[in-house]
Amino acid sequence: MPDLHVVRDISSCSPVRVNSSSRTATNALNDAKELRNYANRLKSSGFVFESNEIYFQAALKFLGVAALLETSNGESSRHGDMNQMQVYSTATKLCKMCGQEYVRHGEMTAAALAYKCMEMVQGKKSSDGYILRLVSFCDSPSSSASDIDNNLNNQPTVDKASLAKGNISHVAGTHVIVARNHPSFIRLLDFTQDVSFAMEASRKSQNAFAAAISSLEEAQSPECITSVKKVIDFSFQDVDGLICLVQQAMEVISRSGLGGARD
C-alpha cells in the first residue's frame, strides 16, 4: 500500500490562500501537478482506488490555484504553461474523472463531493467574467441581429476546410457566422456550455448524495450526512470555503470507515 499521509499533509485546508503571502501561484501550481503525477504513478502501479483519492486532492489544489489567479491577475495571467482558464479546465476534468470512479466503487458520498466541485468550477466560469462579457455583448449596438446580418451577407458559402477546422459556428440559409470573426458569439456559446455542464454536475452531485443517504443512516453516521450536506448546499462564490468543507467532509468519511470497496 502506498503511503498517503504525506500527500494529505500538503493538501491542508484552503491549500493556496492560507500560504499566499509566502508561496507564489507558480509554486502552488507545481504542487498540484506533482499530486497529479503521483496519482498517475499510483494508477500505473495498480493502486487505482488510492490514485483516485490523490487525483481528487490534485483537483482541489488546481481549483485553489485557479481561484488565486482569478483574484490576483485575472484569466489572462499565465503561470508556467497554464493560465487561469486552463487551470479551471484541468480541475474540471479531474473532478469529473474522480466522480465517475467514486461511483464505480460505490463511494457515493465522495462522488457527491467531486461533482459538487465540478459544479463549482463550471459555475465560476459561467457566472464571473463570462456573464459580464455576455451582458456587454448583448448591450452593444454592434450585437444586434441586423448588424450581424449586414456583416454576413457576403458569406454565402463555406469550404470543407473551414468546417474541418471548426471555424463555423452556425449556418442558416446562405448566412454563415464564422467563429473567428465573432469572438463574442463564441463566448456566448462557451457561457451556455458552462451553464449546461454546471447544471449536469449539480444533478449528479444531488443524485449521488441521495443515493448515499440510506447507507449513511444505516451506519448511524449523522456527522457524515451533515458534513457532506454542507458541501452540497454551499455557494460556488467562495472557492476557499468550499475546498475547506470538502476536505473536512473527506476526513469525516475516512474516520467513519465508510469507504467503498477497493479493487
Side-chain angles (χ1 to χ4, degrees):
M1 282 287 295
D3 184 4
L4 301 183
H5 78 276
V6 175
V7 178
R8 292 193 180 99
D9 287 344
I10 65 175
S11 294
S12 57
C13 190
S14 193
V16 177
R17 301 285 181 84
V18 292
N19 296 316
S20 59
S21 60
S22 60
R23 300 186 60 187
T24 65
T26 300
N27 289 336
L29 181 58
N30 288 337
D31 285 346
K33 291 179 179 179
E34 288 177 7
L35 277 174
R36 183 180 58 185
N37 291 339
Y38 179 47
N40 289 338
R41 293 194 297 272
L42 284 176
K43 187 174 183 178
S44 64
S45 298
F47 297 102
V48 178
F49 183 90
E50 290 78 9
S51 70
N52 200 54
E53 293 183 325
I54 308 304
Y55 277 129
F56 191 34
Q57 292 178 22
L60 294 178
K61 182 75 78 170
F62 277 112
L63 180 55
V65 171
L68 178 63
L69 297 182
E70 181 179 359
T71 57
S72 58
N73 299 310
E75 70 175 87
S76 61
S77 63
R78 178 172 291 274
H79 289 261
D81 58 346
M82 302 178 75
N83 61 27
Q84 178 210 334
M85 285 297 110
Q86 290 171 325
V87 177
Y88 267 138
S89 295
T90 299
T92 299
K93 292 176 183 177
L94 288 173
C95 288
K96 182 177 182 179
M97 180 186 70
C98 290
Q100 292 172 337
E101 192 67 18
Y102 280 133
V103 169
R104 191 173 76 86
H105 284 87
E107 288 253 358
M108 303 310 293
T109 49
L113 299 178
Y115 284 126
K116 176 63 179 185
C117 290
M118 182 180 173
E119 176 194 351
M120 155 75 82
V121 177
Q122 299 298 155
K124 291 293 292 182
K125 287 172 64 179
S126 64
S127 68
D128 291 345
Y130 281 11
I131 197 167
L132 293 177
R133 290 195 292 268
L134 174 65
V135 172
S136 176
F137 166 66
C138 292
D139 287 344
S140 173
S142 63
S143 66
S144 66
S146 59
D147 288 336
I148 292 176
D149 283 343
N150 289 336
N151 290 331
L152 299 176
N153 282 332
N154 294 323
Q155 300 178 24
T157 61
V158 181
D159 58 53
K160 293 182 179 179
S162 295
L163 285 170
K165 293 179 181 177
N167 290 330
I168 309 307
S169 58
H170 179 67
V171 178
T174 60
H175 289 179
V176 178
I177 296 178
V178 182
R180 63 187 176 187
N181 294 332
H182 296 276
S184 294
F185 185 77
I186 295 304
R187 293 191 188 105
L188 174 59
L189 292 179
D190 288 341
F191 168 81
T192 303
Q193 186 178 61
D194 287 334
V195 171
S196 176
F197 286 159
M199 293 176 65
E200 178 186 6
S202 177
R203 176 181 57 80
K204 289 182 176 181
S205 179
Q206 295 283 352
N207 289 345
F209 182 55
I213 286 293
S214 59
S215 61
L216 291 175
E217 290 176 342
E218 289 176 4
Q220 296 184 341
S221 183
E223 187 181 7
C224 274
I225 296 176
T226 300
S227 62
V228 175
K229 192 174 189 306
K230 283 181 180 179
V231 175
I232 301 300
D233 295 339
F234 199 74
S235 167
F236 61 77
Q237 296 296 337
D238 183 2
V239 175
D240 285 340
L242 182 76
I243 292 174
C244 276
L245 287 178
V246 169
Q247 291 173 336
Q248 290 167 6
M250 291 298 287
E251 286 296 324
V252 171
I253 293 170
S254 179
R255 290 198 308 268
S256 69
L258 293 175
R262 287 159 169 74
D263 290 340

